[in-house]
Amino acid sequence: MYRIFYICAGLLLIYPLTTLSEVEPSDTEIIVTTATRSDILHQELVGNTSRIDDEQIELTAAQHMNQILSASSGVWLSRGNGQESLLSVRSPVLTGAGSCAEFLSLQDGIPLRSPGFCNVNQLFDSSFEFARAIEVVKGVNSARYGGSAIHGLVNVMTPVDALPTSIALELGPNQYHRFDGQGSWQTHHSVTNVALTVSDDGGYKDSSGYQQQKLMLSQSMDDWNNWAIQNNFTLSHLDQETAGYLQAGEDAYLDRNLARTNAFPNAYRDAFSLRLHSRWLTEIEGRAWQITPYFRKNHMDFLMHFLPGTPVESNGHSSFGLQANVSEALTETWDWRIGMDWEYTEGELQQSQENETQTDSDFLNAVLPQGTHYDYQVDANSIATYFQLTWQATNKLKLQSALRFDHIEYDYDNALATGRNREDGTPCSFSGCRYTRPASSKDSFGDASMEMAAAYRLSQPLQVYIKWDRGFRAPHTSELYRLQNGQSTADIDSVIAKQWELGLRGITKDWFFELSAFELKKDNGIYLDSDRQYLNGLNTTHVGSELDLKWHMHPLFSWQANLSYAKHTYESNAVNSDGSILNLTGNDIDTAPRWIASNRFNWQLLKNTQIQFEWQYLDRYFLDAENTQSYPGHQLAHLRIVSELTRALTLSLRVNNLFNEAYVERADFAFGNHRYFVGEDRGGLIKVKYEF
């Protein structure tokens, strides 16, 4: 029913918009995307991809990536404390160990974390501060990018052209300051870039704040024995004092003094990441080859302040991988691409608790013991092959398809005694400890992803497309090997997602718009039941529409708008491990606002001053699966002013939360209590940049 409604609504919009056939098409090629793993004009793309360009990234000068991703429709990056976040793309805000596996987070087309080892906060590893563009590819895209691209993906693209040499200093509230520096040097055939950012934030809440450092080195060679080579090295480190959620009653965030309190003053997060890749491109006898070997290393320690007993987790993994593909235009109307992705990973996780649990519950005190809870290593080997075919059937009709098969194998080695006893082997009271260590094992998962799509050019600037995708994601290692309450094995399988999408895109010299409607059905969803056991069988439906709009209405004025409406619904009840039923069918999924919107008004004041006013809207959403508690939503406004005082000197002013709205970045409801991740008050930041 929903599919029919949105398809009809989309078709009804086509007729009036065909008047754009009389408008001059865009004569520039400034919108280029790598959503197909190769450069393509946005005008030719099938599927909804938002591209946030370097001008908007520079103007926003984001402290946190959620400040820049608001420029894409259907996206909500919920900010936690410091640099923490939870991602939503055509989805609710998903939580839990494996929720990050519903999305792909990439840098230069390479995942930030290995399959099965992702982290919900992993976007803080990305080099978004230096990005030349950020792309958000929405919906199911497993056939092109692999498992985990169920709801969408975010790709941070680092510079390949020479960077101007500059230094910048930014100061803001709560003892915030950031230093940025970049430069480049060139030879006849190569460009080498270096960029550094160092941030220090004293924190909005008590006993909070962070220090973060990021370094990027890149080199591009355009002709080395007929190869173009792009080498990239990035390093990041985050040392964060973490403030937890506010739990002081319903609407507690409205009390400004209470909002700054921190019930978890000892919480912290220490994260390190290193990534290196080398992309080789050439053309041999009409075939374009692309080969990208890469290496990554991640490590993170953090206090799990959200759990009774506040254990410490230490996790990390190291990976070697290779992406390779070849493409060819067989004729003027047919072209194909075939490729392979391979990766080998060694990962480990330890969780330990220094002291005995001390709560008001004798049960929790007994089942959450002092000592080591988990200590395991997982070696993972993943390989995928894919084939893509495009046929330009007529000068107006293009058909394309993609098929991919992924296989991943986990070799899990448990270093502690199997079962749910204490570290020393003694049993806990109340039938055993909560934390359960399954026996060492080997597990493998494999599945196929498919795409079929068609695009029809109604006029030179106007294109309509329809697309069907099937994707999947394998269980996360934490869902398989970090069990609780006596679950000896996690009898779970891959999540399957299928999506229909209809879209309309128009590009002229002064206009860009993209309107899409989608229905995404997810089957065999993995969830954590009331006994804290991982189970399959939760089905959900995600139906909605998105609009991205840019209008250069005057040489001095432009308008950008992003609007999305989506309804995220449970389509089945959750069946607990004891056979009891949690009635969810027909309910809205929690933390899933239906409306998300943003508008950015740009004004070129005089010759050297740019002003941007941004307005954001987040709709009401439910906090629990039973739909009994809710957050009313909020509206925020931000002001940005950039003025070139001289050819070399630029002064910027940004005011976040201009009207000082009391709001939360995210709210939830757990164990009978409202929990709020409080948003910050109005804050002004001043930045001085000098370009040599």
Side-chain angles (χ1 to χ4, degrees), residues 281-294:
L281 306 96
T282 193
E283 185 171 322
I284 303 174
E285 296 180 352
R287 294 179 178 176
W289 292 81
Q290 187 175 132
I291 301 171
T292 309
Y294 61 88

PDB file of all heavy atoms in Angstrom, residues 281-294:
ATOM      1  N   LEU A 281      45.542   3.329 -10.612  1.00  0.00           N
ATOM      2  CA  LEU A 281      44.582   3.378 -11.712  1.00  0.00           C
ATOM      3  C   LEU A 281      45.325   3.445 -13.044  1.00  0.00           C
ATOM      4  O   LEU A 281      46.297   4.190 -13.182  1.00  0.00           O
ATOM      5  CB  LEU A 281      43.656   4.591 -11.585  1.00  0.00           C
ATOM      6  CG  LEU A 281      42.890   4.787 -10.272  1.00  0.00           C
ATOM      7  CD1 LEU A 281      43.645   5.757  -9.360  1.00  0.00           C
ATOM      8  CD2 LEU A 281      41.488   5.299 -10.513  1.00  0.00           C
ATOM      9  N   THR A 282      44.838   2.676 -13.999  1.00  0.00           N
ATOM     10  CA  THR A 282      45.419   2.719 -15.336  1.00  0.00           C
ATOM     11  C   THR A 282      44.390   2.244 -16.345  1.00  0.00           C
ATOM     12  O   THR A 282      43.323   1.717 -15.968  1.00  0.00           O
ATOM     13  CB  THR A 282      46.685   1.845 -15.425  1.00  0.00           C
ATOM     14  OG1 THR A 282      47.376   2.147 -16.640  1.00  0.00           O
ATOM     15  CG2 THR A 282      46.339   0.359 -15.392  1.00  0.00           C
ATOM     16  N   GLU A 283      44.720   2.426 -17.613  1.00  0.00           N
ATOM     17  CA  GLU A 283      43.879   1.905 -18.686  1.00  0.00           C
ATOM     18  C   GLU A 283      44.752   1.089 -19.627  1.00  0.00           C
ATOM     19  O   GLU A 283      45.798   1.561 -20.098  1.00  0.00           O
ATOM     20  CB  GLU A 283      43.201   3.046 -19.444  1.00  0.00           C
ATOM     21  CG  GLU A 283      42.223   2.562 -20.493  1.00  0.00           C
ATOM     22  CD  GLU A 283      41.396   3.685 -21.098  1.00  0.00           C
ATOM     23  OE1 GLU A 283      41.015   4.602 -20.332  1.00  0.00           O
ATOM     24  OE2 GLU A 283      41.131   3.646 -22.317  1.00  0.00           O
ATOM     25  N   ILE A 284      44.330  -0.147 -19.870  1.00  0.00           N
ATOM     26  CA  ILE A 284      45.069  -1.068 -20.727  1.00  0.00           C
ATOM     27  C   ILE A 284      44.114  -1.626 -21.767  1.00  0.00           C
ATOM     28  O   ILE A 284      43.127  -2.294 -21.417  1.00  0.00           O
ATOM     29  CB  ILE A 284      45.704  -2.217 -19.914  1.00  0.00           C
ATOM     30  CG1 ILE A 284      46.621  -1.660 -18.813  1.00  0.00           C
ATOM     31  CG2 ILE A 284      46.477  -3.163 -20.836  1.00  0.00           C
ATOM     32  CD1 ILE A 284      47.171  -2.724 -17.878  1.00  0.00           C
ATOM     33  N   GLU A 285      44.378  -1.326 -23.021  1.00  0.00           N
ATOM     34  CA  GLU A 285      43.577  -1.824 -24.139  1.00  0.00           C
ATOM     35  C   GLU A 285      42.082  -1.553 -23.925  1.00  0.00           C
ATOM     36  O   GLU A 285      41.242  -2.424 -24.112  1.00  0.00           O
ATOM     37  CB  GLU A 285      43.823  -3.323 -24.355  1.00  0.00           C
ATOM     38  CG  GLU A 285      45.257  -3.643 -24.752  1.00  0.00           C
ATOM     39  CD  GLU A 285      45.471  -5.131 -24.969  1.00  0.00           C
ATOM     40  OE1 GLU A 285      44.545  -5.912 -24.661  1.00  0.00           O
ATOM     41  OE2 GLU A 285      46.560  -5.502 -25.447  1.00  0.00           O
ATOM     42  N   GLY A 286      41.779  -0.325 -23.502  1.00  0.00           N
ATOM     43  CA  GLY A 286      40.395   0.082 -23.355  1.00  0.00           C
ATOM     44  C   GLY A 286      39.737  -0.333 -22.054  1.00  0.00           C
ATOM     45  O   GLY A 286      38.558  -0.015 -21.830  1.00  0.00           O
ATOM     46  N   ARG A 287      40.446  -1.020 -21.195  1.00  0.00           N
ATOM     47  CA  ARG A 287      39.901  -1.443 -19.896  1.00  0.00           C
ATOM     48  C   ARG A 287      40.520  -0.616 -18.774  1.00  0.00           C
ATOM     49  O   ARG A 287      41.738  -0.461 -18.708  1.00  0.00           O
ATOM     50  CB  ARG A 287      40.152  -2.928 -19.658  1.00  0.00           C
ATOM     51  CG  ARG A 287      39.409  -3.831 -20.625  1.00  0.00           C
ATOM     52  CD  ARG A 287      39.700  -5.286 -20.368  1.00  0.00           C
ATOM     53  NE  ARG A 287      38.936  -6.145 -21.276  1.00  0.00           N
ATOM     54  CZ  ARG A 287      39.051  -7.465 -21.324  1.00  0.00           C
ATOM     55  NH1 ARG A 287      39.913  -8.087 -20.524  1.00  0.00           N
ATOM     56  NH2 ARG A 287      38.312  -8.162 -22.175  1.00  0.00           N
ATOM     57  N   ALA A 288      39.675  -0.093 -17.904  1.00  0.00           N
ATOM     58  CA  ALA A 288      40.119   0.720 -16.776  1.00  0.00           C
ATOM     59  C   ALA A 288      40.320  -0.170 -15.560  1.00  0.00           C
ATOM     60  O   ALA A 288      39.381  -0.860 -15.123  1.00  0.00           O
ATOM     61  CB  ALA A 288      39.098   1.813 -16.476  1.00  0.00           C
ATOM     62  N   TRP A 289      41.529  -0.169 -15.034  1.00  0.00           N
ATOM     63  CA  TRP A 289      41.873  -0.988 -13.864  1.00  0.00           C
ATOM     64  C   TRP A 289      42.024  -0.093 -12.637  1.00  0.00           C
ATOM     65  O   TRP A 289      42.559   1.006 -12.717  1.00  0.00           O
ATOM     66  CB  TRP A 289      43.177  -1.740 -14.102  1.00  0.00           C
ATOM     67  CG  TRP A 289      43.076  -2.808 -15.154  1.00  0.00           C
ATOM     68  CD1 TRP A 289      43.141  -2.642 -16.515  1.00  0.00           C
ATOM     69  CD2 TRP A 289      42.891  -4.202 -14.930  1.00  0.00           C
ATOM     70  NE1 TRP A 289      43.002  -3.847 -17.152  1.00  0.00           N
ATOM     71  CE2 TRP A 289      42.848  -4.831 -16.199  1.00  0.00           C
ATOM     72  CE3 TRP A 289      42.754  -4.992 -13.793  1.00  0.00           C
ATOM     73  CZ2 TRP A 289      42.676  -6.198 -16.355  1.00  0.00           C
ATOM     74  CZ3 TRP A 289      42.597  -6.358 -13.938  1.00  0.00           C
ATOM     75  CH2 TRP A 289      42.554  -6.948 -15.196  1.00  0.00           C
ATOM     76  N   GLN A 290      41.563  -0.624 -11.502  1.00  0.00           N
ATOM     77  CA  GLN A 290      41.699   0.087 -10.228  1.00  0.00           C
ATOM     78  C   GLN A 290      42.046  -0.940  -9.154  1.00  0.00           C
ATOM     79  O   GLN A 290      41.295  -1.884  -8.917  1.00  0.00           O
ATOM     80  CB  GLN A 290      40.401   0.809  -9.879  1.00  0.00           C
ATOM     81  CG  GLN A 290      40.494   1.709  -8.660  1.00  0.00           C
ATOM     82  CD  GLN A 290      39.223   2.489  -8.414  1.00  0.00           C
ATOM     83  OE1 GLN A 290      38.717   2.540  -7.304  1.00  0.00           O
ATOM     84  NE2 GLN A 290      38.688   3.112  -9.465  1.00  0.00           N
ATOM     85  N   ILE A 291      43.201  -0.748  -8.514  1.00  0.00           N
ATOM     86  CA  ILE A 291      43.691  -1.688  -7.501  1.00  0.00           C
ATOM     87  C   ILE A 291      44.057  -0.890  -6.255  1.00  0.00           C
ATOM     88  O   ILE A 291      44.832   0.070  -6.336  1.00  0.00           O
ATOM     89  CB  ILE A 291      44.916  -2.471  -8.015  1.00  0.00           C
ATOM     90  CG1 ILE A 291      44.556  -3.240  -9.296  1.00  0.00           C
ATOM     91  CG2 ILE A 291      45.439  -3.424  -6.951  1.00  0.00           C
ATOM     92  CD1 ILE A 291      45.755  -3.865  -9.983  1.00  0.00           C
ATOM     93  N   THR A 292      43.495  -1.284  -5.109  1.00  0.00           N
ATOM     94  CA  THR A 292      43.710  -0.524  -3.873  1.00  0.00           C
ATOM     95  C   THR A 292      44.042  -1.461  -2.718  1.00  0.00           C
ATOM     96  O   THR A 292      43.146  -2.034  -2.086  1.00  0.00           O
ATOM     97  CB  THR A 292      42.469   0.311  -3.507  1.00  0.00           C
ATOM     98  OG1 THR A 292      42.041   1.076  -4.625  1.00  0.00           O
ATOM     99  CG2 THR A 292      42.768   1.235  -2.332  1.00  0.00           C
ATOM    100  N   PRO A 293      45.318  -1.662  -2.408  1.00  0.00           N
ATOM    101  CA  PRO A 293      45.665  -2.347  -1.155  1.00  0.00           C
ATOM    102  C   PRO A 293      45.582  -1.357   0.010  1.00  0.00           C
ATOM    103  O   PRO A 293      45.819  -0.160  -0.163  1.00  0.00           O
ATOM    104  CB  PRO A 293      47.105  -2.800  -1.398  1.00  0.00           C
ATOM    105  CG  PRO A 293      47.640  -1.824  -2.393  1.00  0.00           C
ATOM    106  CD  PRO A 293      46.482  -1.365  -3.235  1.00  0.00           C
ATOM    107  N   TYR A 294      45.255  -1.860   1.198  1.00  0.00           N
ATOM    108  CA  TYR A 294      45.135  -0.969   2.349  1.00  0.00           C
ATOM    109  C   TYR A 294      45.435  -1.709   3.647  1.00  0.00           C
ATOM    110  O   TYR A 294      45.399  -2.951   3.712  1.00  0.00           O
ATOM    111  CB  TYR A 294      43.745  -0.333   2.420  1.00  0.00           C
ATOM    112  CG  TYR A 294      42.583  -1.301   2.569  1.00  0.00           C
ATOM    113  CD1 TYR A 294      42.136  -1.722   3.826  1.00  0.00           C
ATOM    114  CD2 TYR A 294      41.922  -1.789   1.442  1.00  0.00           C
ATOM    115  CE1 TYR A 294      41.069  -2.599   3.961  1.00  0.00           C
ATOM    116  CE2 TYR A 294      40.861  -2.658   1.556  1.00  0.00           C
ATOM    117  CZ  TYR A 294      40.431  -3.061   2.814  1.00  0.00           C
ATOM    118  OH  TYR A 294      39.373  -3.948   2.946  1.00  0.00           O
TER     119      TYR A 294
END
